[in-house]
Amino acid sequence: QVQLVQSGSELRKPGASVKVSCKASGYSFSRYAIDWVRQAPGQGPESMGWINTNTGKPTYAQGFAGRFVFSLDTSVTTAYLQISSLKAEDSAVYYCARDTLGAADPFDYWGQGTLVTVSS
Amino acid sequence: EIVLTQSPGTLSLSPGERATLSCRASQSVAGNFLAWYQQKPGQAPRLLIYGASSRATGIPDRFGGSGSGTDFTLTISRLEPEDFAVYYCQQYGSSLETFGQGTKVEI
């Protein structure tokens, strides 16, 4: 069965960095993009962008270029989200999700979410 | 960027009643690539509807989607206790998807 399993909760101080992983299984990894979605406390989901699992090329939504980096390790079918120079406002649940590469498709499977808390 | 505006913010209903949720886009959604998700506390969003009106796998037929262009609707014909949750629309017709701010369906 299709699964996206994310790493556990993280607590960081302002200015630090964090790396969240998303392990995919149960499907052909290279057929689907991995999308990243941020959900701040009490807010709706916000698309951060996506990474092409064939080429490794990331695409960032407005406001997420610079401190946010998407990467892959295809040998272990895992996608990563790294956030540097963390700020308090980065505290949120971060989800990975998949959608079909080269097609307009919704996010049919999601990871369970990773809570990132930034606090001194 | 396509902005999605959902209304109402909160819908207070009872089990067995009909729920009608609205999602309006700031510009036409290409291909009517509009999805609806349900989210319960502590859980990831779950895909309910895609292509404006197609139910995702395993979604009961009391959930229905309609609309085109800039105006879309999610209807829950008879609310079950497990349907009380937050619902989000999403457009995925452009290169970067966007979500609405959500409608909470509460008892």
Side-chain angles (χ1 to χ4, degrees):
Chain A
Q1 73 281 24
V2 175
Q3 283 192 303
L4 296 173
V5 179
Q6 297 183 227
S7 49
S9 298
E10 302 276 9
L11 173 62
R12 293 285 187 276
K13 294 187 186 312
S17 63
V18 69
K19 194 169 187 177
V20 176
S21 66
C22 171
K23 166 73 175 173
S25 62
Y27 70 95
S28 178
F29 186 65
S30 60
R31 287 190 57 199
Y32 294 83
I34 294 290
D35 297 82
W36 289 96
V37 177
R38 179 171 76 179
Q39 190 166 31
Q43 303 298 312
E46 182 180 18
S47 284
M48 302 172 62
W50 55 283
I51 187 163
N52 185 318
T53 52
N54 268 326
T55 65
K57 178 179 183 291
T59 299
Y60 299 99
Q62 196 170 9
F64 291 101
R67 296 191 301 116
F68 300 83
V69 176
F70 307 149
S71 62
L72 298 171
D73 184 343
T74 55
S75 68
V76 290
T77 62
T78 299
Y80 301 94
L81 164 65
Q82 183 158 1
I83 313 171
S84 58
S85 303
L86 282 162
K87 307 174 183 180
E89 52 264 41
D90 294 325
S91 295
V93 176
Y94 292 84
Y95 293 100
C96 62
R98 74 165 200 179
D99 72 278
T100 311
L101 271 172
D105 271 347
F107 298 171
D108 60 350
Y109 284 90
W110 295 61
Q112 82 277 20
T114 297
L115 174 64
V116 174
T117 303
V118 183
S119 174
S120 54
Chain B
E1 174 183 307
I2 297 178
V3 177
L4 300 178
T5 302
Q6 293 186 241
S7 61
T10 302
L11 204 47
S12 297
L13 294 168
S14 299
E17 290 193 298
R18 180 184 188 90
T20 303
L21 289 66
S22 173
C23 176
R24 178 162 289 179
S26 60
Q27 56 189 276
S28 186
V29 176
N32 291 329
F33 292 131
L34 192 287
W36 291 92
Y37 297 84
Q38 176 193 69
Q39 188 177 33
K40 296 180 180 178
Q43 297 183 16
R46 177 175 74 139
L47 177 65
L48 299 176
I49 301 287
Y50 64 95
S53 60
S54 298
R55 275 187 300 277
T57 303
I59 301 303
D61 60 8
R62 64 180 182 272
F63 290 93
S66 62
S68 64
T70 60
D71 288 294
F72 300 88
T73 301
L74 174 69
T75 302
I76 311 171
S77 58
R78 294 170 311 280
L79 283 163
E80 297 287 342
E82 61 267 28
D83 299 336
F84 291 91
V86 182
Y87 293 83
Y88 296 100
C89 58
Q90 177 208 35
Q91 68 78 23
Y92 54 95
S94 66
S95 60
L96 286 170
E97 303 86 354
T98 51
F99 290 88
Q101 82 282 15
T103 290
K104 182 178 183 180
V105 178
E106 64 176 24
I107 297 178

